[in-house]
Amino acid sequence: MQIVVDLNRCQGYAQCVFLAPQVFELHGEEALLYVPAVPDGQDEHVLRASAACPVQAITVGEQAGGDAGVE
Amino acid sequence: MSSETRDGRRDGRIVIVGASLAGLRAAETLRDEGFEGELTLVGDEPRLPYDRPPLSKQVLLGKAGAEDCGLPGRRALDARWRLGVSATGLDPAGKSVVLADGERLPFDRLLIATGTRARPWPVPGEAALEGVFTVRTSDDADRLATALDAGPRRVLVIGAGFTGSEVASACRERGLEVTVAERGRAPLIGALGGTVGDWATKLQRAHGVDLRCGVTVTALKGSGGRLTGAEFSDGSRLEADVAVVCLGAVRNTEWLADSGLAAGPRGVACDAGCRVFTMYGIVTDDVFVAGDVARFPHPLFEYQLIALEHWGNAVAQAEVAAHNMVSPGPLRRPHLAVPSFWSSQFGLSVKSVGVPTFSDQVVIAQGSPEDRRLVAVYGYRGRITAAVTVNRAKWLEHYQRLIETAAPFPPGPGAADRLADLEPVPSDVPDPRVLTHGPTVALTGHLPDRRLTLIRPGG
């Protein structure tokens, strides 16, 4: 499972940091850093974080194209 | 039979050249909007789509692996992926894309999303020295992170745009000695002008960066194929075992040289609906463009053709291009999104809306150049055209509304942390030719306060 955060939208509410602290962290007051490849056992936390985001900046999904025949 | 079916817009063959953020989001939008035909994505890197912003941040800090930055899909795509092969030509009359391995891909509609690549160090022999890096691809970032892990004695960053500043920030956070060389008078000045540039100068120095502005690196020196240091235009020398070349980006348009399209070093020109122009300025109806490689007219900025190397623009423009590729004329949409971008460096979040280089004046509405927070508002001929925040992202929506409604500059009371009237000062946007780093917003027509064409020699 992969994550991407639209950091144009992110305003540093930090709900994700509380709900999935192993994946999201604030660097200083407002700069969000995250682990793009969700570590084992963190899926549930990440889905909760994505749902809780007040500005809905977090996209969670499987690797794009991972389901297709890649040549 | 619906008009869409009569047009053949929901079926046929669509080829997308470029399998990064813009190409991916366009492909997903095509399927979302009911395209049922054959869809092929071509990418020159042998990887599925990945996200680039983390490469100069999390990856260089060692918090994520370069190979872990894959982009999540928004939906399943029934698509053919041709990865690890570049497009080398376009036959617009025969309607096919030629690939480096000789395959011809016929199309009914084409999306160009080939983006940019890192501008290389101009001397190939020096660029090939072990220890000299650029940061654009996943492999670039992986190699640089490995080199930083080895604990170099000093890192030289050439160019103080966003990438160079983020690299310098990561090095300092790792405790590495870092020198930044920039030909302009301040970091970030190309994109954000002199006031925020002066602020960035103080920020970098406060974090222990050996920042040298007004100089160029004249030579990279090596011994036994390894980088040992650099020489500067002021006659000084520096010992360094890693050099990171952050000279901005080159648009990937060479493959279109014989296509008859309006494609060149400044990008691929298109109309507000992402339809590409021919070299005669006639709009095509089957070739579209999106992302960093596109030059498009923006009504907020006097319809100048602008090119934006921004994550958000790649997504928004890809969605508009894809919609227009499967929609009949009256249902097409213009790409009007207000430009916005972010950077994080030295523990701060730097964000922007509008086009700060499209300005003649700037005011500081909140914070001060001495603070670790800032709101700077840019104006051009009495209207607000941009705002930049540092650790004040919540204010950007407010300024975006003012930009969209052409609100007067300097801004009226409100959204400021002081009672006194805001004092505008010149925005001091430099001629891009004097910079080491390329601006990430290229106003490729003219800057508003002077006639100026941006053509990079050798680009």
Side-chain angles (χ1 to χ4, degrees), chain B residues 392-405:
Chain B
R392 282 292 178 272
K394 289 184 177 71
W395 294 95
L396 283 174
E397 258 181 68
H398 171 72
Y399 287 105
Q400 180 167 337
R401 266 198 307 280
L402 298 184
I403 295 165
E404 285 168 339
T405 53

Side-chain angles (χ1 to χ4, degrees), chain B residues 65-76:
Chain B
E67 69 287 355
D68 294 333
C69 297
L71 279 166
R74 289 176 176 174
R75 54 163 296 145

Side-chain angles (χ1 to χ4, degrees), chain B residues 158-173:
Chain B
I158 307 171
F162 284 105
T163 304
S165 299
E166 290 175 6
V167 171
S169 167
C171 289
R172 289 305 300 145
E173 195 161 335

Side-chain angles (χ1 to χ4, degrees), chain B residues 40-52:
Chain B
T40 305
L41 289 102
V42 179
D44 63 347
E45 290 181 64
R47 286 178 187 278
L48 286 165
Y50 61 88
D51 205 34
R52 297 185 198 276

Side-chain angles (χ1 to χ4, degrees), chain B residues 15 40 42 80 82 95-99 103-107:
Chain B
V15 172
T40 305
V42 179
R80 181 180 174 220
R82 289 287 280 117
K95 297 187 77 156
S96 63
V97 171
V98 183
L99 303 185
E103 185 180 347
R104 294 183 85 90
L105 294 175
F107 64 83

Side-chain angles (χ1 to χ4, degrees), chain A residues 1-13 25 27-38 55 57 59-71, chain B residues 24-25 48-49 51 54 57-58 61 63-64 68-74 76-77 79-83 173 311-312 340-342 344 347-349 351 391-394 397:
Chain A
M1 190 181 266
Q2 298 292 127
I3 305 171
V4 66
V5 181
D6 182 346
L7 290 170
N8 284 321
R9 282 196 198 177
C10 175
Q11 297 181 2
Y13 285 100
E25 66 168 308
H27 196 0
E29 284 175 46
E30 194 178 283
L32 184 72
L33 292 181
Y34 59 95
V35 183
V38 178
V55 292
T59 301
V60 182
E62 295 304 323
Q63 165 71 50
D67 58 333
V70 176
E71 297 168 39
Chain B
L24 170 66
R25 296 306 182 218
L48 286 165
D51 205 34
K57 305 175 186 76
Q58 292 97 310
L61 288 170
K63 292 174 186 281
D68 294 333
C69 297
L71 279 166
R74 289 176 176 174
L77 276 183
R80 181 180 174 220
W81 296 79
R82 289 287 280 117
L83 300 178
E173 195 161 335
W311 190 96
S340 54
F341 68 87
W342 77 87
S344 60
L348 300 174
S349 146
K351 300 178 81 166
N391 278 11
R392 282 292 178 272
K394 289 184 177 71
E397 258 181 68

